Amino acid sequence: MDNATRLQYLEAMGIDVWVPRADNLLAPSIIAEPTDSWGVLQAEVVPCTRCNLCNTRTQTVFGSGNKNADWMIVGEAPGKNEDRQGLPFVGKAGQLLTEMLRAIDLDREQVFITNVVKCRPPDNREPKPIEVETCKTYLLRQHALIKPKIILALGHVAAQALLNTDESIAELRGKIHTLNDTPVVVTYHPAHLLRSLLNKRKAWADLKFAMQIIRNHQR
């Protein structure tokens, strides 16, 4: 099925789709309306039934933190603890993320943390492409409202969704990517780091890289 036909199918199903900008085919266009607001967006996300994940979730996980943050942290999807509490990154991976942020002198309250997909996939599996595609408009609208100075993409699902690519973490790390003029830095998901301690040093290098980008932006 070619891309045009796929988009027609998605639109026929009532699923919002993004169209890549002509000047940057790796970055999806931001979907934002002049009347958009946090209240409007959250009111849409909370009862969302756009995909089948609504049938198995406890609640949607909108995101948390500073809505005027310089840093936007994006993971892939809520897990069991997040689904129960309605907050992102509150399990062991969340504790590690908190420590990673503290290592660069940031508190969770200073950043905005969210996921590409707002509902927990069953058994903590990876979100399916159609689930990512369906939910991504919410993420792009969050980005448009925050206007962060940098996005930190945690894991391949978040990175590939934000950058519209199928490249691996190894290929994406250590480079400055962009989402509608916002720098994007890719690193490992904290859940992966809990299983692969050897990559913690690489993640620390990614955080320092992101900090340098912020410093250059402030000059």
PDB file of all heavy atoms in Angstrom, residues 163-199:
ATOM      1  N   LEU A 163      10.799  12.078  14.601  1.00  0.00           N
ATOM      2  CA  LEU A 163      11.634  12.413  13.451  1.00  0.00           C
ATOM      3  C   LEU A 163      11.180  11.750  12.163  1.00  0.00           C
ATOM      4  O   LEU A 163      11.788  11.950  11.117  1.00  0.00           O
ATOM      5  CB  LEU A 163      13.085  12.019  13.745  1.00  0.00           C
ATOM      6  CG  LEU A 163      13.694  12.671  14.998  1.00  0.00           C
ATOM      7  CD1 LEU A 163      15.080  12.116  15.269  1.00  0.00           C
ATOM      8  CD2 LEU A 163      13.738  14.193  14.847  1.00  0.00           C
ATOM      9  N   ASN A 164      10.100  10.967  12.244  1.00  0.00           N
ATOM     10  CA  ASN A 164       9.576  10.289  11.056  1.00  0.00           C
ATOM     11  C   ASN A 164      10.677   9.505  10.342  1.00  0.00           C
ATOM     12  O   ASN A 164      10.961   9.700   9.160  1.00  0.00           O
ATOM     13  CB  ASN A 164       8.940  11.296  10.092  1.00  0.00           C
ATOM     14  CG  ASN A 164       8.157  10.611   8.981  1.00  0.00           C
ATOM     15  OD1 ASN A 164       7.661   9.504   9.153  1.00  0.00           O
ATOM     16  ND2 ASN A 164       8.037  11.276   7.845  1.00  0.00           N
ATOM     17  N   THR A 165      11.296   8.609  11.076  1.00  0.00           N
ATOM     18  CA  THR A 165      12.413   7.833  10.543  1.00  0.00           C
ATOM     19  C   THR A 165      12.340   6.415  11.081  1.00  0.00           C
ATOM     20  O   THR A 165      11.655   6.149  12.071  1.00  0.00           O
ATOM     21  CB  THR A 165      13.758   8.473  10.964  1.00  0.00           C
ATOM     22  OG1 THR A 165      14.840   7.732  10.393  1.00  0.00           O
ATOM     23  CG2 THR A 165      13.923   8.492  12.471  1.00  0.00           C
ATOM     24  N   ASP A 166      13.064   5.500  10.443  1.00  0.00           N
ATOM     25  CA  ASP A 166      13.181   4.140  10.966  1.00  0.00           C
ATOM     26  C   ASP A 166      14.623   3.841  11.382  1.00  0.00           C
ATOM     27  O   ASP A 166      14.986   2.693  11.606  1.00  0.00           O
ATOM     28  CB  ASP A 166      12.699   3.116   9.937  1.00  0.00           C
ATOM     29  CG  ASP A 166      13.476   3.179   8.628  1.00  0.00           C
ATOM     30  OD1 ASP A 166      14.421   4.004   8.509  1.00  0.00           O
ATOM     31  OD2 ASP A 166      13.137   2.420   7.702  1.00  0.00           O
ATOM     32  N   GLU A 167      15.433   4.881  11.523  1.00  0.00           N
ATOM     33  CA  GLU A 167      16.813   4.694  11.949  1.00  0.00           C
ATOM     34  C   GLU A 167      16.872   4.247  13.408  1.00  0.00           C
ATOM     35  O   GLU A 167      15.987   4.533  14.204  1.00  0.00           O
ATOM     36  CB  GLU A 167      17.608   5.985  11.763  1.00  0.00           C
ATOM     37  CG  GLU A 167      17.859   6.351  10.319  1.00  0.00           C
ATOM     38  CD  GLU A 167      18.759   7.568  10.200  1.00  0.00           C
ATOM     39  OE1 GLU A 167      18.286   8.680  10.496  1.00  0.00           O
ATOM     40  OE2 GLU A 167      19.942   7.398   9.817  1.00  0.00           O
ATOM     41  N   SER A 168      17.936   3.571  13.755  1.00  0.00           N
ATOM     42  CA  SER A 168      18.113   3.032  15.103  1.00  0.00           C
ATOM     43  C   SER A 168      18.643   4.107  16.044  1.00  0.00           C
ATOM     44  O   SER A 168      19.102   5.173  15.621  1.00  0.00           O
ATOM     45  CB  SER A 168      19.096   1.862  15.067  1.00  0.00           C
ATOM     46  OG  SER A 168      20.401   2.335  14.745  1.00  0.00           O
ATOM     47  N   ILE A 169      18.601   3.791  17.349  1.00  0.00           N
ATOM     48  CA  ILE A 169      19.170   4.694  18.346  1.00  0.00           C
ATOM     49  C   ILE A 169      20.640   4.956  18.041  1.00  0.00           C
ATOM     50  O   ILE A 169      21.113   6.095  18.140  1.00  0.00           O
ATOM     51  CB  ILE A 169      19.026   4.094  19.761  1.00  0.00           C
ATOM     52  CG1 ILE A 169      17.562   4.109  20.205  1.00  0.00           C
ATOM     53  CG2 ILE A 169      19.881   4.863  20.759  1.00  0.00           C
ATOM     54  CD1 ILE A 169      17.017   5.474  20.505  1.00  0.00           C
ATOM     55  N   ALA A 170      21.375   3.917  17.678  1.00  0.00           N
ATOM     56  CA  ALA A 170      22.803   4.073  17.386  1.00  0.00           C
ATOM     57  C   ALA A 170      23.032   5.070  16.256  1.00  0.00           C
ATOM     58  O   ALA A 170      24.005   5.837  16.279  1.00  0.00           O
ATOM     59  CB  ALA A 170      23.410   2.720  17.031  1.00  0.00           C
ATOM     60  N   GLU A 171      22.149   5.061  15.272  1.00  0.00           N
ATOM     61  CA  GLU A 171      22.285   5.982  14.144  1.00  0.00           C
ATOM     62  C   GLU A 171      21.847   7.402  14.484  1.00  0.00           C
ATOM     63  O   GLU A 171      22.323   8.366  13.889  1.00  0.00           O
ATOM     64  CB  GLU A 171      21.465   5.460  12.954  1.00  0.00           C
ATOM     65  CG  GLU A 171      21.982   4.152  12.375  1.00  0.00           C
ATOM     66  CD  GLU A 171      21.026   3.553  11.354  1.00  0.00           C
ATOM     67  OE1 GLU A 171      19.838   3.351  11.687  1.00  0.00           O
ATOM     68  OE2 GLU A 171      21.478   3.276  10.221  1.00  0.00           O
ATOM     69  N   LEU A 172      20.940   7.538  15.443  1.00  0.00           N
ATOM     70  CA  LEU A 172      20.357   8.844  15.756  1.00  0.00           C
ATOM     71  C   LEU A 172      21.082   9.585  16.870  1.00  0.00           C
ATOM     72  O   LEU A 172      21.004  10.816  16.942  1.00  0.00           O
ATOM     73  CB  LEU A 172      18.882   8.671  16.139  1.00  0.00           C
ATOM     74  CG  LEU A 172      17.956   8.156  15.035  1.00  0.00           C
ATOM     75  CD1 LEU A 172      16.577   7.822  15.620  1.00  0.00           C
ATOM     76  CD2 LEU A 172      17.812   9.185  13.916  1.00  0.00           C
ATOM     77  N   ARG A 173      21.776   8.860  17.732  1.00  0.00           N
ATOM     78  CA  ARG A 173      22.467   9.502  18.855  1.00  0.00           C
ATOM     79  C   ARG A 173      23.606  10.403  18.371  1.00  0.00           C
ATOM     80  O   ARG A 173      24.182  10.185  17.317  1.00  0.00           O
ATOM     81  CB  ARG A 173      23.056   8.453  19.802  1.00  0.00           C
ATOM     82  CG  ARG A 173      22.078   7.720  20.669  1.00  0.00           C
ATOM     83  CD  ARG A 173      22.803   6.768  21.632  1.00  0.00           C
ATOM     84  NE  ARG A 173      23.761   7.471  22.479  1.00  0.00           N
ATOM     85  CZ  ARG A 173      25.085   7.405  22.341  1.00  0.00           C
ATOM     86  NH1 ARG A 173      25.616   6.636  21.395  1.00  0.00           N
ATOM     87  NH2 ARG A 173      25.872   8.089  23.144  1.00  0.00           N
ATOM     88  N   GLY A 174      23.908  11.409  19.196  1.00  0.00           N
ATOM     89  CA  GLY A 174      25.061  12.259  18.933  1.00  0.00           C
ATOM     90  C   GLY A 174      24.881  13.267  17.821  1.00  0.00           C
ATOM     91  O   GLY A 174      25.858  13.893  17.390  1.00  0.00           O
ATOM     92  N   LYS A 175      23.659  13.450  17.369  1.00  0.00           N
ATOM     93  CA  LYS A 175      23.367  14.402  16.298  1.00  0.00           C
ATOM     94  C   LYS A 175      22.260  15.356  16.739  1.00  0.00           C
ATOM     95  O   LYS A 175      21.429  14.995  17.570  1.00  0.00           O
ATOM     96  CB  LYS A 175      22.913  13.669  15.025  1.00  0.00           C
ATOM     97  CG  LYS A 175      23.895  12.640  14.492  1.00  0.00           C
ATOM     98  CD  LYS A 175      23.279  11.849  13.352  1.00  0.00           C
ATOM     99  CE  LYS A 175      24.209  10.739  12.883  1.00  0.00           C
ATOM    100  NZ  LYS A 175      23.579   9.901  11.819  1.00  0.00           N
ATOM    101  N   ILE A 176      22.271  16.554  16.177  1.00  0.00           N
ATOM    102  CA  ILE A 176      21.182  17.490  16.435  1.00  0.00           C
ATOM    103  C   ILE A 176      20.129  17.294  15.353  1.00  0.00           C
ATOM    104  O   ILE A 176      20.381  17.540  14.172  1.00  0.00           O
ATOM    105  CB  ILE A 176      21.670  18.949  16.425  1.00  0.00           C
ATOM    106  CG1 ILE A 176      22.752  19.174  17.473  1.00  0.00           C
ATOM    107  CG2 ILE A 176      20.493  19.891  16.694  1.00  0.00           C
ATOM    108  CD1 ILE A 176      23.336  20.573  17.459  1.00  0.00           C
ATOM    109  N   HIS A 177      18.962  16.818  15.751  1.00  0.00           N
ATOM    110  CA  HIS A 177      17.824  16.714  14.850  1.00  0.00           C
ATOM    111  C   HIS A 177      16.890  17.886  15.147  1.00  0.00           C
ATOM    112  O   HIS A 177      17.100  18.632  16.111  1.00  0.00           O
ATOM    113  CB  HIS A 177      17.109  15.379  15.070  1.00  0.00           C
ATOM    114  CG  HIS A 177      18.019  14.191  15.015  1.00  0.00           C
ATOM    115  ND1 HIS A 177      18.393  13.587  13.837  1.00  0.00           N
ATOM    116  CD2 HIS A 177      18.649  13.510  16.012  1.00  0.00           C
ATOM    117  CE1 HIS A 177      19.204  12.583  14.096  1.00  0.00           C
ATOM    118  NE2 HIS A 177      19.378  12.510  15.406  1.00  0.00           N
ATOM    119  N   THR A 178      15.865  18.062  14.350  1.00  0.00           N
ATOM    120  CA  THR A 178      14.934  19.155  14.618  1.00  0.00           C
ATOM    121  C   THR A 178      13.487  18.711  14.407  1.00  0.00           C
ATOM    122  O   THR A 178      13.199  17.877  13.553  1.00  0.00           O
ATOM    123  CB  THR A 178      15.188  20.375  13.715  1.00  0.00           C
ATOM    124  OG1 THR A 178      15.098  19.990  12.338  1.00  0.00           O
ATOM    125  CG2 THR A 178      16.552  20.990  13.987  1.00  0.00           C
ATOM    126  N   LEU A 179      12.618  19.293  15.211  1.00  0.00           N
ATOM    127  CA  LEU A 179      11.178  19.176  15.018  1.00  0.00           C
ATOM    128  C   LEU A 179      10.651  20.591  14.923  1.00  0.00           C
ATOM    129  O   LEU A 179      10.561  21.291  15.926  1.00  0.00           O
ATOM    130  CB  LEU A 179      10.518  18.426  16.180  1.00  0.00           C
ATOM    131  CG  LEU A 179       8.985  18.375  16.120  1.00  0.00           C
ATOM    132  CD1 LEU A 179       8.511  17.495  14.972  1.00  0.00           C
ATOM    133  CD2 LEU A 179       8.411  17.869  17.438  1.00  0.00           C
ATOM    134  N   ASN A 180      10.372  21.024  13.708  1.00  0.00           N
ATOM    135  CA  ASN A 180       9.902  22.382  13.482  1.00  0.00           C
ATOM    136  C   ASN A 180      10.766  23.394  14.230  1.00  0.00           C
ATOM    137  O   ASN A 180      10.271  24.185  15.042  1.00  0.00           O
ATOM    138  CB  ASN A 180       8.431  22.513  13.872  1.00  0.00           C
ATOM    139  CG  ASN A 180       7.540  21.690  12.972  1.00  0.00           C
ATOM    140  OD1 ASN A 180       7.355  20.500  13.213  1.00  0.00           O
ATOM    141  ND2 ASN A 180       6.996  22.302  11.931  1.00  0.00           N
ATOM    142  N   ASP A 181      12.055  23.348  13.948  1.00  0.00           N
ATOM    143  CA  ASP A 181      13.056  24.287  14.465  1.00  0.00           C
ATOM    144  C   ASP A 181      13.447  24.059  15.923  1.00  0.00           C
ATOM    145  O   ASP A 181      14.305  24.776  16.441  1.00  0.00           O
ATOM    146  CB  ASP A 181      12.611  25.748  14.265  1.00  0.00           C
ATOM    147  CG  ASP A 181      12.379  26.096  12.805  1.00  0.00           C
ATOM    148  OD1 ASP A 181      13.142  25.589  11.959  1.00  0.00           O
ATOM    149  OD2 ASP A 181      11.439  26.855  12.508  1.00  0.00           O
ATOM    150  N   THR A 182      12.838  23.095  16.605  1.00  0.00           N
ATOM    151  CA  THR A 182      13.259  22.756  17.967  1.00  0.00           C
ATOM    152  C   THR A 182      14.305  21.648  17.898  1.00  0.00           C
ATOM    153  O   THR A 182      14.053  20.605  17.293  1.00  0.00           O
ATOM    154  CB  THR A 182      12.075  22.266  18.819  1.00  0.00           C
ATOM    155  OG1 THR A 182      11.074  23.271  18.884  1.00  0.00           O
ATOM    156  CG2 THR A 182      12.549  21.927  20.228  1.00  0.00           C
ATOM    157  N   PRO A 183      15.494  21.859  18.503  1.00  0.00           N
ATOM    158  CA  PRO A 183      16.498  20.784  18.503  1.00  0.00           C
ATOM    159  C   PRO A 183      15.977  19.546  19.219  1.00  0.00           C
ATOM    160  O   PRO A 183      15.310  19.643  20.255  1.00  0.00           O
ATOM    161  CB  PRO A 183      17.670  21.408  19.269  1.00  0.00           C
ATOM    162  CG  PRO A 183      17.452  22.878  19.217  1.00  0.00           C
ATOM    163  CD  PRO A 183      15.968  23.079  19.174  1.00  0.00           C
ATOM    164  N   VAL A 184      16.284  18.391  18.661  1.00  0.00           N
ATOM    165  CA  VAL A 184      15.902  17.109  19.251  1.00  0.00           C
ATOM    166  C   VAL A 184      17.166  16.277  19.472  1.00  0.00           C
ATOM    167  O   VAL A 184      17.950  16.081  18.551  1.00  0.00           O
ATOM    168  CB  VAL A 184      14.934  16.328  18.343  1.00  0.00           C
ATOM    169  CG1 VAL A 184      14.597  14.965  18.966  1.00  0.00           C
ATOM    170  CG2 VAL A 184      13.673  17.123  18.075  1.00  0.00           C
ATOM    171  N   VAL A 185      17.346  15.820  20.708  1.00  0.00           N
ATOM    172  CA  VAL A 185      18.461  14.933  21.043  1.00  0.00           C
ATOM    173  C   VAL A 185      17.882  13.567  21.409  1.00  0.00           C
ATOM    174  O   VAL A 185      16.918  13.471  22.176  1.00  0.00           O
ATOM    175  CB  VAL A 185      19.285  15.497  22.211  1.00  0.00           C
ATOM    176  CG1 VAL A 185      20.289  14.463  22.724  1.00  0.00           C
ATOM    177  CG2 VAL A 185      20.014  16.758  21.774  1.00  0.00           C
ATOM    178  N   VAL A 186      18.469  12.535  20.871  1.00  0.00           N
ATOM    179  CA  VAL A 186      17.984  11.162  21.079  1.00  0.00           C
ATOM    180  C   VAL A 186      18.895  10.434  22.056  1.00  0.00           C
ATOM    181  O   VAL A 186      20.128  10.503  21.949  1.00  0.00           O
ATOM    182  CB  VAL A 186      17.941  10.410  19.732  1.00  0.00           C
ATOM    183  CG1 VAL A 186      17.570   8.948  19.949  1.00  0.00           C
ATOM    184  CG2 VAL A 186      16.962  11.087  18.778  1.00  0.00           C
ATOM    185  N   THR A 187      18.289   9.735  22.999  1.00  0.00           N
ATOM    186  CA  THR A 187      19.051   8.899  23.922  1.00  0.00           C
ATOM    187  C   THR A 187      18.254   7.651  24.263  1.00  0.00           C
ATOM    188  O   THR A 187      17.142   7.458  23.776  1.00  0.00           O
ATOM    189  CB  THR A 187      19.437   9.675  25.198  1.00  0.00           C
ATOM    190  OG1 THR A 187      20.397   8.903  25.935  1.00  0.00           O
ATOM    191  CG2 THR A 187      18.220   9.959  26.077  1.00  0.00           C
ATOM    192  N   TYR A 188      18.817   6.813  25.109  1.00  0.00           N
ATOM    193  CA  TYR A 188      18.167   5.558  25.473  1.00  0.00           C
ATOM    194  C   TYR A 188      17.015   5.799  26.449  1.00  0.00           C
ATOM    195  O   TYR A 188      17.044   6.728  27.257  1.00  0.00           O
ATOM    196  CB  TYR A 188      19.178   4.614  26.128  1.00  0.00           C
ATOM    197  CG  TYR A 188      20.305   4.209  25.220  1.00  0.00           C
ATOM    198  CD1 TYR A 188      21.542   4.851  25.291  1.00  0.00           C
ATOM    199  CD2 TYR A 188      20.141   3.193  24.290  1.00  0.00           C
ATOM    200  CE1 TYR A 188      22.592   4.486  24.459  1.00  0.00           C
ATOM    201  CE2 TYR A 188      21.183   2.815  23.452  1.00  0.00           C
ATOM    202  CZ  TYR A 188      22.399   3.472  23.531  1.00  0.00           C
ATOM    203  OH  TYR A 188      23.430   3.113  22.699  1.00  0.00           O
ATOM    204  N   HIS A 189      16.016   4.942  26.376  1.00  0.00           N
ATOM    205  CA  HIS A 189      14.919   4.992  27.331  1.00  0.00           C
ATOM    206  C   HIS A 189      15.439   4.501  28.692  1.00  0.00           C
ATOM    207  O   HIS A 189      16.231   3.552  28.751  1.00  0.00           O
ATOM    208  CB  HIS A 189      13.779   4.090  26.861  1.00  0.00           C
ATOM    209  CG  HIS A 189      12.490   4.302  27.578  1.00  0.00           C
ATOM    210  ND1 HIS A 189      12.278   3.843  28.866  1.00  0.00           N
ATOM    211  CD2 HIS A 189      11.339   4.932  27.202  1.00  0.00           C
ATOM    212  CE1 HIS A 189      11.061   4.175  29.249  1.00  0.00           C
ATOM    213  NE2 HIS A 189      10.466   4.834  28.267  1.00  0.00           N
ATOM    214  N   PRO A 190      15.038   5.141  29.795  1.00  0.00           N
ATOM    215  CA  PRO A 190      15.502   4.685  31.112  1.00  0.00           C
ATOM    216  C   PRO A 190      15.225   3.206  31.389  1.00  0.00           C
ATOM    217  O   PRO A 190      16.023   2.557  32.067  1.00  0.00           O
ATOM    218  CB  PRO A 190      14.719   5.590  32.073  1.00  0.00           C
ATOM    219  CG  PRO A 190      14.462   6.840  31.299  1.00  0.00           C
ATOM    220  CD  PRO A 190      14.248   6.381  29.884  1.00  0.00           C
ATOM    221  N   ALA A 191      14.117   2.681  30.879  1.00  0.00           N
ATOM    222  CA  ALA A 191      13.832   1.256  31.083  1.00  0.00           C
ATOM    223  C   ALA A 191      14.909   0.392  30.434  1.00  0.00           C
ATOM    224  O   ALA A 191      15.284  -0.657  30.967  1.00  0.00           O
ATOM    225  CB  ALA A 191      12.455   0.907  30.519  1.00  0.00           C
ATOM    226  N   HIS A 192      15.419   0.819  29.289  1.00  0.00           N
ATOM    227  CA  HIS A 192      16.514   0.102  28.633  1.00  0.00           C
ATOM    228  C   HIS A 192      17.777   0.193  29.480  1.00  0.00           C
ATOM    229  O   HIS A 192      18.514  -0.802  29.614  1.00  0.00           O
ATOM    230  CB  HIS A 192      16.771   0.696  27.245  1.00  0.00           C
ATOM    231  CG  HIS A 192      18.053   0.246  26.621  1.00  0.00           C
ATOM    232  ND1 HIS A 192      18.185  -0.966  25.979  1.00  0.00           N
ATOM    233  CD2 HIS A 192      19.277   0.842  26.571  1.00  0.00           C
ATOM    234  CE1 HIS A 192      19.431  -1.112  25.548  1.00  0.00           C
ATOM    235  NE2 HIS A 192      20.113  -0.021  25.894  1.00  0.00           N
ATOM    236  N   LEU A 193      18.036   1.353  30.065  1.00  0.00           N
ATOM    237  CA  LEU A 193      19.249   1.535  30.868  1.00  0.00           C
ATOM    238  C   LEU A 193      19.228   0.654  32.116  1.00  0.00           C
ATOM    239  O   LEU A 193      20.279   0.242  32.599  1.00  0.00           O
ATOM    240  CB  LEU A 193      19.403   3.000  31.253  1.00  0.00           C
ATOM    241  CG  LEU A 193      19.630   3.972  30.079  1.00  0.00           C
ATOM    242  CD1 LEU A 193      19.679   5.403  30.592  1.00  0.00           C
ATOM    243  CD2 LEU A 193      20.896   3.631  29.309  1.00  0.00           C
ATOM    244  N   LEU A 194      18.040   0.366  32.637  1.00  0.00           N
ATOM    245  CA  LEU A 194      17.941  -0.526  33.787  1.00  0.00           C
ATOM    246  C   LEU A 194      18.367  -1.947  33.427  1.00  0.00           C
ATOM    247  O   LEU A 194      18.819  -2.702  34.287  1.00  0.00           O
ATOM    248  CB  LEU A 194      16.505  -0.537  34.320  1.00  0.00           C
ATOM    249  CG  LEU A 194      16.026   0.752  35.007  1.00  0.00           C
ATOM    250  CD1 LEU A 194      14.542   0.657  35.311  1.00  0.00           C
ATOM    251  CD2 LEU A 194      16.823   1.017  36.277  1.00  0.00           C
ATOM    252  N   ARG A 195      18.219  -2.291  32.153  1.00  0.00           N
ATOM    253  CA  ARG A 195      18.596  -3.635  31.693  1.00  0.00           C
ATOM    254  C   ARG A 195      19.999  -3.673  31.098  1.00  0.00           C
ATOM    255  O   ARG A 195      20.602  -4.740  31.003  1.00  0.00           O
ATOM    256  CB  ARG A 195      17.590  -4.129  30.639  1.00  0.00           C
ATOM    257  CG  ARG A 195      16.158  -4.208  31.100  1.00  0.00           C
ATOM    258  CD  ARG A 195      15.273  -4.882  30.065  1.00  0.00           C
ATOM    259  NE  ARG A 195      15.293  -4.190  28.781  1.00  0.00           N
ATOM    260  CZ  ARG A 195      14.444  -3.230  28.430  1.00  0.00           C
ATOM    261  NH1 ARG A 195      13.511  -2.824  29.297  1.00  0.00           N
ATOM    262  NH2 ARG A 195      14.515  -2.660  27.247  1.00  0.00           N
ATOM    263  N   SER A 196      20.479  -2.511  30.654  1.00  0.00           N
ATOM    264  CA  SER A 196      21.776  -2.456  29.979  1.00  0.00           C
ATOM    265  C   SER A 196      22.630  -1.360  30.613  1.00  0.00           C
ATOM    266  O   SER A 196      22.668  -0.221  30.137  1.00  0.00           O
ATOM    267  CB  SER A 196      21.579  -2.176  28.480  1.00  0.00           C
ATOM    268  OG  SER A 196      22.805  -2.120  27.799  1.00  0.00           O
ATOM    269  N   LEU A 197      23.288  -1.722  31.702  1.00  0.00           N
ATOM    270  CA  LEU A 197      24.042  -0.729  32.469  1.00  0.00           C
ATOM    271  C   LEU A 197      25.189  -0.133  31.656  1.00  0.00           C
ATOM    272  O   LEU A 197      25.607   0.999  31.904  1.00  0.00           O
ATOM    273  CB  LEU A 197      24.580  -1.372  33.745  1.00  0.00           C
ATOM    274  CG  LEU A 197      23.517  -1.929  34.706  1.00  0.00           C
ATOM    275  CD1 LEU A 197      24.191  -2.528  35.933  1.00  0.00           C
ATOM    276  CD2 LEU A 197      22.533  -0.842  35.107  1.00  0.00           C
ATOM    277  N   LEU A 198      25.698  -0.874  30.675  1.00  0.00           N
ATOM    278  CA  LEU A 198      26.822  -0.388  29.883  1.00  0.00           C
ATOM    279  C   LEU A 198      26.469   0.855  29.080  1.00  0.00           C
ATOM    280  O   LEU A 198      27.353   1.647  28.733  1.00  0.00           O
ATOM    281  CB  LEU A 198      27.323  -1.493  28.947  1.00  0.00           C
ATOM    282  CG  LEU A 198      27.968  -2.716  29.623  1.00  0.00           C
ATOM    283  CD1 LEU A 198      28.352  -3.750  28.570  1.00  0.00           C
ATOM    284  CD2 LEU A 198      29.191  -2.304  30.431  1.00  0.00           C
ATOM    285  N   ASN A 199      25.185   1.035  28.798  1.00  0.00           N
ATOM    286  CA  ASN A 199      24.786   2.194  27.996  1.00  0.00           C
ATOM    287  C   ASN A 199      24.519   3.439  28.838  1.00  0.00           C
ATOM    288  O   ASN A 199      24.209   4.504  28.292  1.00  0.00           O
ATOM    289  CB  ASN A 199      23.544   1.854  27.171  1.00  0.00           C
ATOM    290  CG  ASN A 199      23.875   0.990  25.968  1.00  0.00           C
ATOM    291  OD1 ASN A 199      24.973   1.072  25.429  1.00  0.00           O
ATOM    292  ND2 ASN A 199      22.936   0.153  25.550  1.00  0.00           N
TER     293      ASN A 199
END
